[in-house]
Amino acid sequence: MNLFKGAAVQNIIKHKQAIMILRVYQCLFGFAVVCVTLFSFSFAQANERSAERRAELMTERMLDRQVLRAAAMAGRLSEEEAQKNSIILLERDALLSTERQLEKVLEARVLDRNAESNRDADIPTRPTPEEPDPESETNDSLGDGLGSFDPNGQTDTGDKSNDEVEEGTEQSEDALEEQLEDSFAEQDLNIAFSDLQFEQTLHAIENDTAVLKGIDEQRVWTNEWVIMADVDAKSALEKEGYEFSNEEHLESFGSIIASVKAPATYDLHNDYQLVMKKLDKHDAVLDLNHIYSNIYTNASEASDTSVDGISPGELLSLPGQGTKIGMVDTAINLEHSLLKDVMITQQHFTQDNQSPVFTHGTAVASVLSGKGPQYQGILKQVELFNASVFVEAKGSQSITTALSLLRGLNWLVQQDIKVINMSLAGPPNRLLEKGIEQLCQKGVIIVAAAGNEGPFSKPMYPAGYSCAVAVTAVDLNNKIYKKAVRGNHIDVAAYGVNILAAGQENSTIPQSGTSMAAPFVSAWIASQLPSQKEGIKWVELALDNCLDLGEEGFDPLYGKGLLPFEPGKLANAMPQQTSKAIL
């Protein structure tokens, strides 16, 4: 019995051991499953990261290759563009040279033909300073280099039918083409001249001839003739039968401006040159009331708003205490935040009392003396006198007239202003020229923006007058402003690209143009002028010390160079001597 019990106990013990061993195996198996699962998950993540990294590396290599290809392509395009530009410039220079030669040949032939036929209706020319016109005594009765011309000098077709007129026009064009071809052969120009270039040159010459024959009616306020003469000349002309109306006395010029009607024996249109000779004897000038545009509207001066402009005071800062500067511009917005603390006296001289416009004058005034939390004009203290002369025209353009300009200048001189800033452009006008010359003789300095009509534009006025200081614009790298007018009349360059100036509704925006450069010259001159005995002569000597840019010495892009931006040192170092007047 005991034996049986012992065997049963042993069996029970063995059974429990087997169960324990089984459970141990189960635990080990479960642990192995967990390990394998974790290993598989980690392996999958590692593979995923490796794949992502390989994809990133491939993308980077592709981008690098694309960048290299793009850079190579950009380099090739840049080289091709430079070559094209070089070819275009060479062709343009050749074309311009050929045009000048053709104009000289054509002009000489026309003069010879007119002399042979003994006709009095000469086509006037406008000689350059380098090449005076040999016929100036007959074509330029005023001796001012502008030429005297008949504003209605078009050929009278009389009672001819339209077919006859067109036939005559075609014959004239054919004769002109034959004349040019003969000129090529006779002058032996030896220039490769394509048919397209020939047509372009012919068209340009025809346009120039049309300009010389007539007046652009869009640039004239009215067809009424205006005379400028002193009291004695007016009395003498009245005795000869001239009739005056709308008279106005301009004290600063010592002259009267008035609408004029010639004696019954004369007609201002048909006998223009004869009338001019009569007026010349009495020191009087006659012209139409030409229109002048504000430079801001001629070529957009608003720069890219994404470009950070520079405050004028960072480029040139002057104390300006006791300084007075005159402006002939649009009206100034006296409520603009940059100008509330500036002393500004303003008078309106708009044509026919029309409402003035506000934009450009506000910007120019801010460049001269604006004040703001992060803005400073050139002059810390200055008194501005503004002659508001511009009115709004079609196409949001602001315009003025020669008479408005003369009225504004007359008022500024009465305020004892010695430096006047003019940022406007238009055609030559005998009335305005005579007025500016008289002011220069009185020691008034006219600073005029050269204009933004582009490098192929003719001189714009008043900057084109010999006694005005013509200002062009450069950027901070001393490169010429791309839209600036070039020419031998340019006197000095100043910074005028991306200059911060007052905008609309108290804004401040970067603006570019020659009218942004002119205030630098006006402020620079006005701040030192009171200490100089002979202002105009001093200005000439001062400009001789400009930083030379471009070609060595004077050149038609930069004039005498960049305005010296340390006026105090220059003023003290200036020699007290005289020199030939260039202003």
Side-chain angles (χ1 to χ4, degrees):
M1 186 69 179
N2 290 332
L3 181 62
F4 178 78
K5 288 181 179 179
V9 170
Q10 289 180 353
N11 288 334
I12 291 171
I13 292 173
K14 290 180 180 180
H15 180 71
K16 289 182 178 181
Q17 289 176 347
I19 292 173
M20 290 178 64
I21 292 172
L22 180 61
R23 289 178 177 174
V24 169
Y25 281 131
Q26 288 176 344
C27 291
L28 291 174
F29 179 76
F31 179 75
V33 170
V34 171
C35 290
V36 170
T37 302
L38 292 174
F39 177 78
S40 300
F41 182 74
S42 299
F43 183 76
Q45 285 186 331
N47 284 339
E48 184 177 355
R49 286 194 297 270
S50 178
E52 291 177 352
R53 180 56 183 165
R54 286 196 299 272
E56 290 177 357
L57 292 174
M58 291 178 63
T59 303
E60 290 178 359
R61 285 195 291 269
M62 291 175 62
L63 290 176
D64 290 341
R65 287 194 294 269
Q66 290 177 355
V67 169
L68 291 175
R69 285 197 297 268
M73 183 177 296
R76 290 194 299 271
L77 291 176
S78 177
E79 292 177 358
E80 292 176 359
E81 186 68 20
Q83 293 177 354
K84 290 180 180 178
N85 290 337
S86 177
I87 294 173
I88 291 174
L89 289 175
L90 291 174
E91 292 178 349
R92 183 178 296 167
D93 291 341
L95 181 59
L96 290 175
S97 175
T98 305
E99 286 184 5
R100 287 193 292 268
Q101 291 174 323
L102 288 175
E103 288 174 354
K104 292 178 181 178
V105 172
L106 180 58
E107 179 182 332
R109 285 182 167 272
V110 170
L111 291 175
D112 291 342
R113 185 176 59 198
N114 290 343
E116 292 174 358
S117 60
N118 293 323
R119 287 184 293 180
D120 297 329
D122 294 330
I123 297 178
T125 60
R126 296 181 183 268
T128 61
E130 293 81 0
E131 298 180 2
D133 185 1
E135 300 292 333
S136 59
E137 294 183 359
T138 58
N139 288 340
D140 190 3
S141 59
L142 291 183
D144 56 5
L146 297 178
S148 301
F149 58 93
D150 178 2
N152 289 336
Q154 303 289 348
T155 302
D156 186 7
T157 58
D159 298 328
K160 290 183 179 181
S161 65
N162 292 335
D163 294 338
E164 290 175 330
V165 174
E166 292 177 358
E167 182 180 356
T169 303
E170 293 176 356
Q171 292 177 352
S172 299
E173 292 177 353
D174 294 340
L176 181 59
E177 291 182 3
E178 293 176 1
Q179 191 176 38
L180 292 175
E181 292 174 353
D182 293 341
S183 299
F184 276 119
E186 293 177 5
Q187 298 296 326
D188 192 22
L189 297 179
N190 293 325
I191 295 178
F193 213 56
S194 67
D195 291 339
L196 176 60
Q197 290 173 324
F198 183 88
E199 292 296 330
Q200 291 173 341
T201 303
L202 180 62
H203 182 66
I205 294 175
E206 290 174 341
N207 286 343
D208 291 341
T209 304
V211 170
L212 291 174
K213 284 184 176 180
I215 292 179
D216 182 1
E217 295 296 335
Q218 296 179 353
R219 304 298 297 177
V220 178
W221 186 264
T222 64
N223 289 327
E224 193 173 45
W225 290 92
V226 181
I227 194 170
M228 183 176 184
D230 57 30
V231 177
D232 295 336
K234 175 179 174 291
S235 299
L237 290 170
E238 284 179 328
K239 292 179 181 178
E240 294 187 14
Y242 288 84
E243 298 179 6
F244 297 87
S245 61
N246 303 322
E247 295 183 23
E248 185 175 350
H249 184 222
L250 301 181
E251 297 179 359
S252 300
F253 302 106
S255 300
I256 293 173
I257 55 174
S259 301
V260 63
K261 181 179 180 182
T265 54
Y266 294 111
D267 182 89
L268 287 180
H269 293 285
N270 298 330
D271 301 311
Y272 181 80
Q273 296 204 20
L274 185 59
V275 172
M276 292 299 295
K277 290 180 180 179
K278 287 280 187 181
L279 296 178
D280 191 35
K281 296 178 181 178
H282 297 289
D283 191 25
V285 291
L286 176 74
D287 213 328
L288 294 171
N289 192 16
H290 287 108
I291 287 176
Y292 292 78
S293 301
N294 191 277
I295 292 181
Y296 185 82
T297 57
N298 282 351
S300 176
E301 292 186 306
S303 301
D304 185 357
T305 54
S306 63
V307 177
D308 294 331
I310 185 169
S311 177
E314 296 182 37
L315 298 173
L316 179 63
S317 181
L318 301 170
Q321 188 172 5
T323 301
K324 297 197 300 184
I325 295 179
M327 293 172 50
V328 180
D329 217 302
T330 70
I332 297 174
N333 179 12
L334 302 179
E335 299 300 320
H336 197 285
S337 58
L338 295 181
L339 300 173
K340 287 185 177 180
D341 297 329
V342 181
M343 297 178 59
I344 300 176
T345 303
Q346 185 166 236
Q347 189 76 21
H348 300 293
F349 300 93
T350 56
Q351 184 72 37
D352 299 337
N353 296 320
Q354 295 190 26
S355 299
V357 294
F358 303 79
T359 44
H360 189 266
T362 305
V364 172
S366 68
V367 173
L368 284 169
S369 58
K371 297 178 178 65
Q374 297 179 343
Y375 187 91
Q376 178 60 54
I378 302 169
L379 295 162
K380 297 179 180 178
Q381 292 183 353
V382 66
E383 187 174 2
L384 297 181
F385 292 80
N386 181 48
S388 166
V389 297
F390 283 90
V391 299
E392 187 173 353
K394 295 180 179 179
S396 300
Q397 185 182 42
S398 55
I399 61 174
T400 187
T401 64
L403 290 185
S404 293
L405 296 178
L406 288 172
R407 294 182 183 115
L409 290 171
N410 177 68
W411 174 74
L412 288 174
V413 175
Q414 290 177 339
Q415 311 308 309
D416 194 29
I417 303 298
K418 297 299 182 183
V419 179
I420 300 176
N421 188 92
M422 301 182 72
S423 294
L424 51 98
N429 181 276
R430 299 182 190 280
L431 307 172
L432 183 61
E433 181 185 21
K434 181 178 177 65
I436 288 180
E437 286 179 350
Q438 289 181 351
L439 295 186
C440 291
Q441 291 172 3
K442 293 182 178 181
V444 178
I445 298 173
I446 305 296
V447 179
N452 303 332
E453 302 296 332
F456 300 105
S457 170
K458 294 180 180 179
M460 306 300 291
Y461 297 87
Y465 294 131
S466 59
C467 73
V469 181
V471 183
T472 189
V474 296
D475 60 19
L476 296 182
N477 295 319
N478 295 342
K479 299 299 182 183
I480 192 72
Y481 176 54
K482 61 182 179 181
K483 296 181 180 178
V485 174
R486 277 79 157 167
N488 292 326
H489 64 292
I490 301 298
D491 291 308
V492 62
Y495 294 125
V497 178
N498 292 330
I499 304 298
L500 283 177
Q504 296 182 354
E505 299 180 356
N506 293 327
S507 64
T508 303
I509 59 175
Q511 300 187 31
S512 300
T514 57
S515 60
M516 293 292 102
F520 283 93
V521 179
S522 297
W524 186 85
I525 293 175
S527 64
Q528 304 169 83
L529 193 62
S531 62
Q532 308 301 324
K533 295 181 179 179
E534 298 183 11
I536 291 183
K537 293 181 179 179
W538 171 82
V539 170
E540 178 189 354
L541 293 174
L543 295 183
D544 284 337
N545 288 268
C546 289
L547 174 64
D548 191 19
L549 300 177
E551 297 179 2
E552 184 176 358
F554 177 88
D555 64 74
L557 267 71
Y558 305 97
K560 290 193 171 185
L562 181 65
L563 181 74
F565 274 55
E566 294 186 11
K569 295 181 180 180
L570 180 60
N572 296 331
M574 286 305 303
Q576 297 300 322
Q577 60 182 6
T578 60
S579 177
K580 62 178 182 179
I582 63 166
L583 304 176

